[in-house]
Amino acid sequence: MTLTTRSAAELATALQQGETTSVECTTAFLDRIEATNPTINAFLSIDRDGALAKAASVDAARAQGKSLGPLAGLPVAVKDVLCTTDQKTTCASKMLKTFEPPYDADVVRRLREADAVILGKTNMDEFAMGGSNENSAYGLVRNPWDTDRAPGGSSGGSAAAVAADMTPLAIGSDTGGSIRQPAGLCGITGLKPTYGRVSRRGLIAFSSSLDQIGPMARSAKECAMLLQTIAGHDSGDSTSINTPVPDYLTDLEKPLQGLRIGRVAAHFSEGLDPEVAEHVEQTFATYEAAGATIHEVELPHAAYGVPTYYLIAPSEASSNLARYDGAHYGHRWDGTPSDDQGINTFDSPLVEMYCRSRAEGFGPEVKRRIMLGTYALSAGYYDAYYAKALRVRRLIRNDFTQAFEKVDLIGGPVSATPAFKLGEKTDDPIAMYLVDLYTVGANLAGIGGISFPCGFTQSKLPIGFQLQGPALSEPLLLQAAHQYQQTTDWHLQRTTAISS
Amino acid sequence: MTAESKHPFTTVIGLEVHVQLQTQTKLFCGCVTTFGSPPNTQVCPTCLGLPGSLPVMNRRAFDLSLRAALALNCKIASFTKWDRKNYFYPDLPKGYQISQFDLPFSYEGYLEVVDPKGAFEPRTVRIIRVHLEEDAGKSMHDETAGTADSRIDLNRTGTPLCEIVTEPDLRSPEEARAWLNELKLLLVYLGVSDCNMQEGSLRVDANVNLHIPQPDGRLAKTPIVEIKNMNSFRSVERALVYETERQWGEWQDTGAEIGSMPKQTRGWDDSAGVTRGQRHKEESSDYRYFPDPDLVPVTVSEEQVAAVRSTMGEPPALLRKTLAERWDIPAYDADVLVNQGPELVEYFEDLAKKVGEGKVASNWMQQDVLRMLNERGGHIADFPVQPTAVADIIGRVKKGDFDTGRGKEIFAAVLETGKPVDEVVAGMGIAAVDEDDLQKLCEELIAENPKIVADVKGGKEQAAGGLIGQAKRKNPNVNPGKVRALALELIRALP
């Protein structure tokens, strides 16, 4: 068994027992990245020197019997939305092509303190806006199960990297499904923690009230290992939750006897791919067989989730992305007259610089969302759009609160379809927005959700299953996913669509 | 001279005052707020608005703003939140300012201003709201040698700023200036702000229009003009005087009333002494306020308010009363002293304690200390003559060592030379005049001035004044009062 096909848990054991070294292990993954990245494009930057140096120092420390962090010597890939002092942080945007943050994101700091080896930064939809990873200024990402298909997004690079064995562990961020949806489409496991469980400091904001960083790996157990490191209170993030972090590994092995799982009938309405529906139903059956009970629950306002999300997220984004104006850092128009891109008169040279810098620096989807959000927050429209969206958001949150009085977790599909063809939805923004149908609710409600593989289509495309749980239910979400993975092997299947 | 007295209208003025709070650190990060540091040296990712940076509220800044609001008799909201005010400008690196929109932390207050000379009726100005926000940076436009470079200093970015908005309750430019003085005094006394307009820690915009009664009983109102760019309270007064006259002229020319045009902003040109219309934006700015999702709402309990209230010092209005009572000085004196600020009051009280008499100390403060301070410029904290030395001089005057006039000369010399009082007194050849010497001197004067003696004998006692000048020429150390008293006594004793 080659090193790159081993799970992080197995690698940790091998490292502790001296069967391998971090340098050997890191080299194996770096080589795998080198071989497959030209096809998959999962990584935007690869820090071979930095990773090997860290690996060597961990090996040295281990040899000297020094105490090491919980992720000592384990490779991890970080979505390029998180600030790193030693690598550029681009958010897959031309706007931040040369941006070198002067500080590490809190999550990156925790990874370093846990002695993880950061391999590089993963590709994504520009500013985390998208569901297919086709919005990257540095090229799309291909799904390792079928390279003509999208890996999902926006954490498509992280999902593809794990699926293609380029890294055992990856960090993603989830604003409307950006961890769970690509995890589902790439056949890996991804957890969106409760809002505030993981610090957002150093996460380049898309929609501050929805963004949440989470772990992505092959299995729930590895997600638990990674979450253990990245979760926790941060006084530098006012929205960070200040409650102790439980041990996410303790409860993993407990049986599911008595677990109440909710099933939402509306999830199975028109639009759900039959193969997906079939495997999702089978998953419910597997849980029942494992001792859980299935209960019908309703989320009456779920249908408003996507419209609500597409008012709140762009509104916040329009403000969060205002800082990219070319004045202080990032892309600035070089002053030479270019295509006027529909704009040719300006109030002042300053305004021209702003307009042209932003016109050049942002891709079309980012511009679309900035305009949507600017519109929704404008005088005369605020009440009809943004304010109303906030009210619906409260209703959606209440739906979950009420449902969780009856059940412990809610199960269902992650996406309506398996991975779609590259280019299939790029001309149809609404169709693209609907890929978030099953995932936006958890972000709007601020609760946790986990996505893991529950089967494959006949054409060998992964199908994901989602469990959602109340705030701070991460131990239960991880336990339920882990128990499922103890009786199934979907998460262990490897793609053969790419050659190393 | 007020505009009111000349014209048949009422001037209606409301103010919007921005005050920088005297905190050690910025509102949403840990950077220091020292004024005058080299550009962009007091910055961090948060106040630079770098990607991924997050704000965390500085509770001490918040408590300081509570103090200001309480001093302005405002109600304190138990729940308040932060909003983003979105606009593009290079000195605003995030592209939005964190401010408070619909739920300010305090509202509905008032501050009264009383003119001690009674130039206007006491005026209570209602305060609509006081909210807290972060300051922007500074743009410096370098227009030398045609480079026309603009440079940005972000040291100020994120400094806590209180915005105080009044109802249009002021009725003359003079009142507006007096009210601003009172506001400044209040905030300085409470340690909320140094209110230094030169350093930009206090900024004022004024809204003004005229209410003109019409023959048919209707009240015509001229369009409201917002005046900006006033750099001193004197400028505020001058700008308002100018604007009042301008609006009156415009009213007579055009008869334009409020609502007939969008609200106009005019900038004050201090050297030209005029307001000038600023470029109209095609549409009014839309700041797209919305709650800042990076921050959590702030709750303020009764206990927290009480705790802030308990650490507040005496506001000037109250201090004027207690100072007058404590030292038995006229209200006018207390007003003059308090208006000079807390350090001067401290100086006065120290002096009064040492002298043992408030009124004498107050006279010396006003006639000597303040006069010298004004002549020299500078602040009482840096005044070289300490209350101990002034009390020493006053004590010697009271003892009769020399007269008040001489005492003032000594005070001036102590200030000038920096030498101790004893040394100055000795250097000036001042020595107490022996009773025998005084007797001898007076006898000489009487012998030399038969006309004065005759006048006094004839009932004109004031003629004795002529002897005092001569006595001082013979011996500069003599006490005029004593000379006068003894001379009169000797004359009366003459046959």
Side-chain angles (χ1 to χ4, degrees):
Chain A
M1 204 186 199
T2 60
L3 285 168
T4 55
T5 55
R6 296 210 213 172
S7 74
E10 289 163 348
L11 290 171
T13 309
L15 286 167
Q16 277 156 18
Q17 294 176 351
E19 286 170 35
T20 183
T21 64
S22 180
V23 168
E24 193 181 8
C25 185
T26 302
T27 305
F29 282 102
L30 285 167
D31 290 348
R32 171 79 180 167
I33 293 168
E34 207 162 274
T36 53
N37 204 49
T39 310
I40 304 297
N41 199 28
F43 281 82
L44 291 178
S45 59
I46 301 152
D47 185 18
R48 178 175 277 270
D49 293 346
L52 286 173
K54 176 69 185 181
S57 82
V58 169
D59 287 341
R62 200 189 297 279
Q64 289 163 25
K66 289 188 183 160
S67 77
L68 287 164
L71 298 179
L74 292 176
V76 56
V78 175
K79 186 176 179 180
D80 207 25
V81 70
L82 286 155
C83 288
T84 46
T85 48
D86 52 0
Q87 288 171 80
K88 279 187 307 178
T89 300
T90 69
C91 255
S93 179
K94 186 178 173 187
M95 187 58 88
L96 292 178
K97 186 172 187 176
T98 58
F99 180 62
E100 292 175 30
Y103 60 102
D104 275 332
D106 190 59
V107 162
V108 171
R109 178 188 66 78
R110 287 172 186 267
L111 289 173
R112 294 195 204 280
E113 280 176 12
D115 289 320
V117 173
I118 298 175
L119 296 173
K121 307 291 287 288
T122 55
N123 204 345
M124 54 189 276
D125 283 301
E126 184 180 2
F127 284 103
M129 297 177 186
S132 68
N133 218 127
E134 290 166 290
N135 297 333
S136 169
Y138 306 105
L140 52 77
V141 178
R142 292 179 184 277
N143 192 315
W145 292 93
D146 178 348
T147 54
D148 290 333
R149 290 179 186 269
S154 67
S155 308
S158 287
V162 172
D165 298 335
M166 298 154 102
T167 180
L169 301 170
I171 299 289
S173 70
D174 190 317
T175 306
S178 283
I179 286 174
R180 291 160 290 158
Q181 185 254 17
L185 300 190
C186 289
I188 69 158
T189 307
L191 173 74
K192 182 205 100 71
T194 303
Y195 183 76
R197 180 74 286 183
V198 179
S199 168
R200 291 186 297 115
R201 186 157 50 135
L203 168 74
I204 298 183
F206 159 20
S207 178
S208 313
S209 75
L210 299 164
D211 294 343
Q212 185 60 202
I213 299 165
M216 303 174 81
R218 279 171 213 153
S219 67
K221 186 176 182 180
E222 291 162 287
C223 284
M225 288 168 61
L226 194 47
L227 182 64
Q228 199 70 55
T229 288
I230 64 173
H233 181 244
D234 174 15
S235 60
D237 173 0
S238 309
T239 62
S240 167
I241 296 176
N242 193 3
T243 57
V245 176
D247 187 331
Y248 294 114
L249 293 163
T250 323
D251 290 349
L252 287 183
E253 307 301 338
K254 287 189 184 164
L256 296 178
Q257 203 63 43
L259 180 75
R260 301 169 302 166
I261 300 178
R263 179 185 177 282
V264 182
H267 283 167
F268 298 87
S269 59
E270 198 185 343
L272 184 66
D273 179 277
E275 279 188 291
V276 174
E278 184 195 330
H279 283 88
V280 167
E281 296 287 26
Q282 275 174 17
T283 306
F284 279 116
T286 307
Y287 272 111
E288 255 184 320
T293 53
I294 311 300
H295 308 263
E296 289 298 322
V297 291
E298 280 184 51
L299 298 171
H301 300 92
Y304 303 108
V306 169
T308 301
Y309 174 86
Y310 276 96
L311 287 169
I312 291 174
S315 292
E316 293 182 8
S318 71
S319 175
N320 283 333
L321 272 65
R323 67 192 66 198
Y324 309 111
D325 59 9
H328 299 278
Y329 52 83
H331 179 77
R332 184 192 288 190
W333 175 54
D334 67 5
T336 54
S338 56
D339 286 353
D340 66 17
Q341 310 200 32
I343 39 172
N344 42 36
T345 58
F346 302 93
D347 282 355
S348 67
L350 175 69
V351 171
E352 177 166 21
M353 188 279 281
Y354 281 161
C355 292
R356 293 203 185 277
S357 299
R358 288 167 69 82
E360 291 173 351
F362 289 138
E365 182 58 29
V366 172
K367 287 178 196 167
R368 184 178 293 122
R369 295 198 193 190
I370 288 173
M371 289 175 69
L372 269 173
T374 304
Y375 186 80
L377 288 176
S378 295
Y381 300 100
Y382 181 93
D383 288 333
Y385 295 112
Y386 182 73
K388 184 175 276 184
L390 289 187
R391 287 196 294 276
V392 178
R393 181 176 188 175
R394 205 170 308 128
L395 294 174
I396 289 171
R397 193 177 294 152
N398 292 345
D399 284 354
F400 279 105
T401 306
Q402 282 164 19
F404 288 130
E405 284 167 8
K406 297 183 200 122
V407 295
D408 303 306
L409 299 172
I410 295 171
V414 185
S415 307
T417 66
F420 46 88
K421 291 265 192 195
L422 289 163
E424 188 183 314
K425 297 181 198 283
T426 43
D427 294 331
D428 187 352
I430 301 292
M432 191 70 96
Y433 294 172
L434 285 170
V435 305
D436 297 328
L437 183 64
Y438 301 120
T439 48
V440 291
N443 299 82
L444 292 167
I447 59 172
I450 192 165
S451 161
F452 52 88
C454 68
F456 286 84
T457 62
Q458 295 202 335
S459 52
K460 197 64 181 165
L461 292 174
I463 295 168
F465 188 82
Q466 178 180 226
L467 285 171
Q468 297 172 97
L472 298 178
S473 63
E474 287 79 16
L476 185 59
L477 288 167
L478 289 162
Q479 178 202 347
H482 177 73
Q483 286 303 309
Y484 177 82
Q485 289 175 340
Q486 294 308 99
T487 60
T488 58
D489 66 353
W490 309 114
H491 64 291
L492 298 177
Q493 300 199 20
R494 310 316 303 155
T495 176
T496 52
I498 46 168
S499 52
S500 183
Chain B
M1 182 201 74
T2 66
E4 241 171 317
S5 60
K6 288 198 322 194
H7 298 305
F9 59 72
T10 307
T11 308
V12 178
I13 300 165
L15 300 174
E16 201 179 294
V17 185
H18 284 90
V19 181
Q20 266 185 13
L21 299 184
Q22 247 169 333
T23 49
Q24 297 295 306
T25 56
K26 295 183 179 181
L27 187 49
F28 296 112
C29 64
C31 291
V32 296
T33 54
T34 317
F35 178 81
S37 301
N40 301 308
T41 54
Q42 291 170 182
V43 292
C44 72
T46 294
C47 56
L48 288 174
L50 290 188
S53 63
L54 290 174
V56 177
M57 188 190 76
N58 173 356
R59 185 81 207 197
R60 289 178 68 185
F62 189 79
D63 286 348
L64 204 56
S65 62
L66 280 181
R67 183 186 287 203
L70 289 172
L72 293 167
N73 306 295
C74 286
K75 295 176 184 168
I76 306 295
S78 59
F79 175 94
T80 185
K81 67 179 173 71
W82 301 102
D83 299 288
R84 292 186 182 178
K85 179 180 180 177
N86 296 284
Y87 66 95
F88 285 97
Y89 206 69
D91 62 19
L92 189 73
K94 295 192 299 296
Y96 60 83
Q97 178 191 29
I98 305 175
S99 181
Q100 298 195 289
F101 181 53
D102 54 341
L103 294 175
F105 79 90
S106 73
Y107 55 98
E108 290 176 14
Y110 62 88
L111 177 66
E112 189 187 41
V113 60
V114 180
D115 187 279
K117 293 176 190 150
F120 53 82
E121 290 294 300
R123 182 71 73 189
T124 298
V125 176
R126 291 167 298 159
I127 288 156
I128 299 173
R129 57 184 277 163
V130 179
H131 78 244
L132 193 52
E133 60 189 25
E134 54 173 356
D135 208 345
K138 259 186 274 189
S139 299
M140 291 171 291
H141 303 291
D142 175 10
E143 271 129 31
T144 52
T147 54
D149 260 4
S150 288
R151 289 167 192 277
I152 312 293
D153 176 7
L154 297 178
N155 281 350
R156 199 177 72 177
T157 310
T159 300
L161 204 57
C162 253
E163 184 180 308
I164 301 163
V165 184
T166 78
E167 293 280 4
D169 286 346
L170 291 156
R171 290 294 172 266
S172 73
E174 191 186 13
E175 270 183 38
R177 182 178 180 175
W179 189 82
L180 285 168
N181 272 322
E182 186 66 14
L183 175 70
K184 172 178 172 173
L185 207 58
L186 175 67
L187 298 175
V188 167
Y189 267 95
L190 299 184
V192 170
S193 172
D194 62 16
C195 292
N196 187 329
M197 277 186 101
Q198 277 68 48
E199 293 180 2
S201 42
L202 189 148
R203 285 162 250 165
V204 184
D205 298 331
N207 283 284
V208 56
N209 75 339
L210 312 180
H211 288 188
I212 310 161
Q214 297 302 296
D216 62 2
R218 193 176 65 87
L219 196 62
K221 297 173 182 176
T222 58
I224 297 174
V225 166
E226 181 175 11
I227 315 174
K228 289 183 175 291
N229 197 31
M230 299 171 290
N231 295 318
S232 66
F233 291 168
R234 189 167 162 270
S235 302
V236 173
E237 186 177 7
R238 288 178 64 211
L240 285 167
V241 167
Y242 174 86
E243 186 57 26
T244 306
E245 293 296 328
R246 194 196 65 77
Q247 287 190 23
W248 176 240
E250 190 177 75
W251 161 257
Q252 286 171 313
D253 290 347
T254 66
E257 292 191 39
I258 193 166
S260 63
M261 57 176 87
K263 184 174 148 181
Q264 201 190 3
T265 301
R266 297 179 71 87
W268 172 244
D269 180 337
D270 204 56
S271 51
V274 298
T275 63
R276 291 205 175 90
Q278 295 187 339
R279 197 168 65 97
H280 262 292
K281 286 182 182 147
E282 305 86 65
E283 52 209 301
S284 64
S285 305
D286 180 355
Y287 292 118
R288 306 190 311 280
Y289 281 99
F290 77 106
D292 192 328
D294 285 332
L295 287 159
V296 287
V298 184
T299 54
V300 184
S301 67
E302 300 273 336
E303 292 72 32
Q304 283 166 322
V305 173
V308 171
R309 209 187 280 280
S310 72
T311 62
M312 276 167 65
E314 224 169 358
L318 191 60
L319 184 59
R320 289 187 187 103
K321 289 200 181 75
T322 55
L323 205 65
E325 282 166 19
R326 197 181 305 148
W327 297 106
D328 193 22
I329 54 172
Y332 179 85
D333 285 29
D335 198 71
V336 170
L337 294 170
V338 168
N339 288 3
Q340 298 296 320
E343 290 91 349
L344 189 117
V345 169
E346 198 183 314
Y347 190 105
F348 160 73
E349 294 215 74
D350 193 7
L351 180 63
K353 213 174 289 170
K354 291 191 162 82
V355 173
E357 198 182 338
K359 182 58 188 162
V360 175
S362 171
N363 289 346
W364 275 78
M365 287 301 297
Q366 293 178 61
Q367 289 160 22
D368 300 282
V369 177
L370 270 177
R371 186 171 53 86
M372 287 301 187
L373 201 58
N374 288 340
E375 273 175 23
R376 293 162 57 90
H379 197 263
I380 187 72
D382 310 319
F383 194 67
V385 185
Q386 294 305 304
T388 315
V390 183
D392 185 4
I393 297 170
I394 297 173
R396 293 180 198 224
V397 170
K398 284 170 87 175
K399 221 170 75 196
D401 285 3
F402 40 78
D403 67 351
T404 306
R406 211 62 176 129
K408 288 174 191 289
E409 286 168 31
I410 293 163
F411 172 76
V414 169
L415 180 59
E416 179 96 355
T417 61
K419 290 177 181 165
V421 177
D422 272 338
E423 206 173 304
V424 169
V425 169
M428 288 170 82
I430 296 170
V433 181
D434 187 76
E435 292 295 322
D436 289 350
D437 291 345
L438 189 67
Q439 177 88 15
K440 213 176 286 170
L441 187 136
C442 285
E443 283 166 358
E444 276 177 40
L445 287 172
I446 289 167
E448 290 163 7
N449 290 285
K451 178 153 185 345
I452 291 177
V453 173
D455 285 350
V456 173
K457 277 285 207 188
K460 287 170 71 184
E461 283 209 349
Q462 65 270 34
L467 299 174
I468 292 166
Q470 294 183 43
K472 289 213 94 168
R473 276 191 292 279
K474 284 177 188 283
N475 182 349
N477 293 330
V478 292
N479 181 314
K482 284 187 174 178
V483 169
R484 186 186 152 87
L486 184 57
L488 285 173
E489 193 188 316
L490 290 172
I491 293 170
R492 277 196 217 100
L494 288 174

